[in-house]
Amino acid sequence: MIVVEFRMNSPILQESLTHAPEMTISYEEMYQTDEGILFLFWATEGDLTAFEDGLDADPTVANPTQLAETQTRRLYRVTFTEYGENVATYPTWPELNITVLDATTATTHEGWILRMQMSSRETLQRFREICAENDLEFCLKTVYKARENATEADTQLTSSQREALIAARELGYFQVPRRVPLATVADHCGISSQALSERLRRGTATLIDTAL
């Protein structure tokens, strides 16, 4: 397995960022539903009101919903529009067995900075070809081997899912009987109970898929 860091000039959410130039967007998770591709992300360090105005006008996403808020950032969920799905590489990730480890918008707002885990350099080459086919500029930064002692679950969980699962375990949420309610764990993580519940469910599903 290899880890690949690169910049890609995807138009996803770029219109939203023109309304709030100081904003930074960080990937939380993305998944396919009957409604389409849903994207969860954190928005920080900018004018959140202006950013939400931009979301309403952004041609790549629809149905923006705020799921959580802390003092410095907000968690949003959006659905890709038809145009958004056409310019997204997400549909190829399961086929190529690609996992996103981190993704944030570039400081110049010319696309995204991503860190992905891939099975081989052949997979990387195929992914670059897909980007070229979709007129997405791909600028490779680094390639290195994934940690040999990392478990499959480690590599599939997002950092936020892992944080939520560990916090829930340490605080006693999984004990029988439970030592703390969901809201206590959510406060510890700085997110809403709804956002935490979704994060725990998806993290648990990943652990089941990889272990069983």
Side-chain angles (χ1 to χ4, degrees):
M1 301 293 282
I2 60 173
V3 175
V4 182
E5 296 183 4
F6 61 95
R7 182 182 64 80
M8 183 172 63
N9 71 333
S10 169
I12 298 297
L13 292 177
Q14 294 305 304
E15 175 64 28
S16 300
L17 290 170
T18 62
H19 289 70
E22 297 179 357
M23 185 68 64
T24 297
I25 296 174
S26 302
Y27 173 95
E28 175 65 21
E29 59 184 318
M30 193 178 294
Y31 49 94
Q32 181 76 52
T33 71
D34 292 339
E35 301 174 10
I37 299 174
L38 300 186
F39 179 27
L40 277 68
F41 62 88
W42 288 97
T44 60
E45 301 177 2
D47 186 335
L48 290 166
T49 300
F51 176 71
E52 290 183 351
D53 290 340
L55 280 177
D56 292 333
D58 198 306
T60 63
V61 298
N63 306 320
T65 302
Q66 180 184 322
L67 299 180
E69 182 174 11
T70 70
Q71 291 184 341
T72 59
R73 59 180 185 164
R74 289 179 184 172
L75 178 66
Y76 293 93
R77 180 182 63 216
V78 295
T79 306
F80 281 4
T81 61
E82 181 177 357
Y83 171 62
E85 292 191 4
N86 288 337
V87 297
T89 61
Y90 170 77
T92 68
W93 298 355
E95 173 190 345
L96 297 178
N97 193 26
I98 289 175
T99 301
V100 174
L101 302 178
D102 292 298
T104 59
T105 49
T107 54
T108 57
H109 289 167
E110 294 178 356
W112 293 76
I113 302 296
L114 297 102
R115 188 164 61 94
M116 288 182 163
Q117 181 168 283
M118 303 182 183
S119 58
S120 64
R121 289 182 177 271
E122 287 73 22
T123 300
L124 170 58
Q125 179 58 35
R126 177 55 188 145
F127 184 75
R128 296 187 71 163
E129 291 171 355
I130 291 171
C131 290
E133 292 167 3
N134 289 277
D135 296 322
L136 302 175
E137 180 185 355
F138 181 102
C139 180
L140 183 65
K141 298 172 70 68
T142 60
V143 179
Y144 55 91
K145 288 185 178 180
R147 290 189 299 116
E148 293 184 1
N149 62 343
T151 66
E152 185 177 357
D154 285 336
T155 58
Q156 295 293 329
L157 286 171
T158 66
S159 59
S160 57
Q161 287 171 352
R162 189 173 189 276
E163 175 189 2
L165 287 166
I166 291 174
R169 177 71 176 88
E170 291 179 343
L171 293 174
Y173 177 74
F174 293 124
Q175 288 189 3
V176 180
R178 283 179 176 162
R179 287 173 49 197
V180 297
L182 185 70
T184 298
V185 184
D187 288 342
H188 177 83
C189 295
I191 58 177
S192 70
S193 294
Q194 177 186 351
L196 175 66
S197 178
E198 291 187 10
R199 196 172 296 181
L200 290 177
R201 288 200 306 271
R202 297 191 184 285
T204 301
T206 296
L207 291 175
I208 292 172
D209 290 342
T210 54
L212 304 179

